[in-house]
Amino acid sequence: MDKAIEKLNKIHIAVSGVFLSIFFVTIVVQVCVRLLFRVLPLLFPDIAPVSMIWTEDVTMYSFIWSVFLGASAMIYPERHFAFTSIIDNVKNERAKAAIHLAIMALVLVFMCLLVYYGCIVTKKFWNYRGTSLPALKRGWTWLCLPVSGAFGCVYLVQKISHDFCRIFGKVEAN
């Protein structure tokens, strides 16, 4: 099970990276087109400037997805939600596991709320349309909330189960 979750996390990080790449590419395209159409009319007065309004929405949507997917992906390696100052001062391994369990349980509550309210918001705003891309529903943007929350829940359940095993002595500490 741990190997499957580790593989899922790698795929999760890769998808977040794809959205981040889309973000950067659309930013570069937008900047290059703006620069190009400032220079071209000077050289060729008959050319009318072209605006690429769609890049603003694509940039915004891809950035939002990248941030939320990246944040939930970092739960697995514990690079996002970490309270090391508390755990580092405790010497007893079971006490460390209990504190870690409590922290992960609090984060799990937050992730469950993210899934629940993310579903409500996504359903409410599903049919809203953007101004520059009216064919794209805004619901796709809001869908990142329950998706990232669900991934976070999967990783946290795995972390919590490991902590239970560490507390009750069934598995050695990581």
Side-chain angles (χ1 to χ4, degrees):
M1 185 66 153
D2 289 342
K3 295 281 186 196
I5 291 178
E6 188 174 331
K7 189 169 187 161
L8 174 69
N9 185 252
K10 287 180 181 180
I11 294 168
H12 188 170
I13 291 170
V15 171
S16 179
V18 167
F19 279 111
L20 190 61
S21 299
I22 292 169
F23 168 75
F24 283 124
V25 167
T26 54
I27 290 281
V28 169
V29 166
Q30 188 177 37
V31 168
C32 289
V33 167
R34 285 184 182 183
L35 286 174
L36 183 67
F37 280 101
R38 284 182 188 244
V39 172
L40 278 180
L42 298 174
L43 301 172
F44 306 101
D46 297 337
I47 294 179
V50 174
S51 179
M52 296 184 66
I53 300 171
W54 63 269
T55 57
E56 293 176 19
D57 278 349
V58 171
T59 301
M60 179 179 61
Y61 297 157
S62 61
F63 183 73
I64 290 168
W65 271 91
S66 175
V67 167
F68 276 94
L69 286 179
S72 62
M74 289 297 107
I75 291 173
Y76 179 74
E78 293 187 32
R79 293 190 180 145
H80 192 280
F81 297 105
F83 299 97
T84 57
S85 62
I86 298 170
I87 294 176
D88 289 346
N89 293 326
V90 177
K91 302 293 181 211
N92 185 333
E93 285 300 316
R94 284 190 176 177
K96 279 186 181 184
I99 293 169
H100 190 264
L101 174 70
I103 292 168
M104 292 297 118
L106 286 172
V107 176
L108 180 63
V109 168
F110 174 76
M111 286 294 154
C112 290
L113 291 172
L114 187 63
V115 170
Y116 177 74
Y117 287 108
C119 287
I120 291 171
V121 168
T122 301
K123 193 191 285 187
K124 182 175 182 173
F125 293 111
W126 184 260
N127 289 317
Y128 281 44
R129 305 279 179 176
T131 54
S132 65
L133 287 173
L136 185 64
K137 294 179 179 183
R138 292 279 171 128
W140 289 106
T141 306
W142 291 102
L143 189 62
C144 71
L145 296 174
V147 168
S148 65
F151 277 115
C153 287
V154 169
Y155 300 139
L156 287 164
V157 165
Q158 188 251 5
K159 296 282 182 193
I160 289 171
S161 69
H162 278 267
D163 285 339
F164 267 116
C165 291
R166 283 174 55 198
I167 290 170
F168 297 110
K170 295 183 181 182
V171 174
E172 290 291 318
N174 292 338

